[in-house]
Amino acid sequence: MVKFTAFKATDNEALCHKFIDGHRKVLEIYGITMITSAKHAWMQHENTYVILVESTEDGRALGGARIQIADEDLPLPIEDAIGKLDPKIFDQLKERKLLKTGELCGLWNSREIAGFGIGSIFLIRASVALAYTLGLHSLFALCAPATVRGGKRTGFDVNIAVGNNGQFYYPKLDLIATAVIIDNVRTLEKAEPTIRELVFDLIENPVQVRSETGPKGDVDIMYDLKYDK
């Protein structure tokens, strides 16, 4: 069994470091030594929330993601990542800050959790549920090729107004990242119906154990997406 735990970054320094160490190890596998979302200023940011995936057997970190709410204190990782390449991202953020917006960032999966059949789609679903609970109306993300499909299934659209139809060479010239956005977090009408139903079940029941069906069979996941704001 694995556990998905949500918490405010400033509330748990130890779990933040656990997240960082796991993320770093995954990036190193792909020869990536520094990306904007891997910087650690978010640990002291009052508007950053974390989902950490752990083994219930021995507590090993197996994956994670963050929701960073846009404010004036800390730029979103996507601003630092692609702002110099396409400043239109700043206009998009300014418009959406009139309501509440943020970014799904720092998403990572260990090879071990992928071996369980738990891919990034599970973290994306949980992160979108967390974004809803945090009151966001829109949500940005910068996806690696392997996560674009899961993002689309969960309601993200490719952000074709920036880059080359939403694509950038990032974080290295031989890697492509795709900018995506959900402009309807409150309704998720563009998500696949079954996934939309699962997301809203997590919103309504943030603490639950559910048998999830992945490509390699069923696995039990303990969700604890409830936290004190």
Side-chain angles (χ1 to χ4, degrees), residues 101-198:
T101 193
E103 182 180 352
L104 164 55
C105 52
L107 188 149
W108 63 276
N109 276 314
S110 68
R111 287 180 173 175
E112 184 174 4
I113 197 173
F116 295 156
I118 303 174
S120 59
I121 183 68
F122 292 88
L123 263 169
I124 295 171
R125 282 181 352 204
S127 298
V128 171
L130 180 58
Y132 181 103
T133 303
L134 291 168
L136 272 65
H137 288 257
S138 57
L139 187 64
F140 290 80
L142 196 58
C143 291
T147 57
V148 173
R149 181 173 178 269
K152 288 181 176 179
R153 295 179 65 198
T154 317
F156 280 95
D157 282 324
V158 175
N159 190 352
I160 60 173
V162 296
N164 181 13
N165 288 318
Q167 292 190 331
F168 296 85
Y169 289 107
Y170 179 85
K172 301 194 300 180
L173 287 177
D174 58 345
L175 295 176
I176 293 177
T178 302
V180 297
I181 186 170
I182 298 178
D183 262 326
N184 47 15
V185 173
R186 314 313 296 172
T187 56
L188 295 178
E189 65 260 23
K190 293 189 177 182
E192 291 183 4
T194 54
I195 291 183
R196 182 182 184 277
E197 182 179 339
L198 290 169

Side-chain angles (χ1 to χ4, degrees), residues 3-7 15 18-19 50-54 61 63-65 108:
K3 182 178 182 181
F4 284 49
T5 304
F7 60 94
L15 286 187
K18 198 171 185 178
F19 177 101
V50 183
I51 296 175
L52 182 65
V53 184
E54 300 168 284
W108 63 276

